Amino acid sequence: MKLVASFVLAAAAASLAMSAYAQFAKPEDAIKYRKSVMTLQSAHFGRIAAMASGKMPFDAAAVVENATILETVTRLPLAGFVAGSDKGETRAKPEIWSDTAKFKETGEKLNADAIKLLAAAKTGNLDTIKAAVGPVGGDCKSCHDNFRKE
Ligand code: ASC
């Protein structure tokens, strides 16, 4: 009886682990996930960009806080572009799935530049931060230009 119970538990744990690994039950879930990621990227990068451009008062600790979150969040978008999620409420271009290498490279560059932005944030120097903001904004823009419909 004890043995059966432990098998049942193990099976339940395995199926939970599997569904977490598969990540998305439906294509709409993947679309919702990546839109959420874009919202977070925009919010946290937007605050840093606003400070870099003088639209918001410079607060070194707030830059570190936002850059820390941005560095984590920029690891996420690629996982949302699963096969079959090219249809529906999305502006994702087919090139994401036909030119995957370029798309992946673009996504990885964003994270690499976000890592540099976090390092710049930790210096507390506004000019250093400003120099690291440009590349991240450029990554956002080039990915949207190449891979997002109008
Ligand atoms: C943002 C945001 C984007 C990018 C882009 C940079 O803050 O929401 O989509 O930066 O405007 O060019």
Side-chain angles (χ1 to χ4, degrees), residues 38 41-43 45-46 49 136-138 140-142 144 148:
M38 297 301 156
Q41 288 180 149
S42 175
F45 179 60
V136 172
C140 298
K141 186 179 185 309
S142 76
H144 292 162
R148 184 179 69 177

Side-chain angles (χ1 to χ4, degrees), residues 1-2 12 27 56 67 77-78 80-82 84 86 103 106 113 119 121 124 127 132 134:
M1 205 46 202
K2 245 182 152 178
M56 246 173 83
L78 292 176
F81 293 88
V82 294
D86 54 333
F103 182 64
T106 308
D113 287 332
D127 287 330

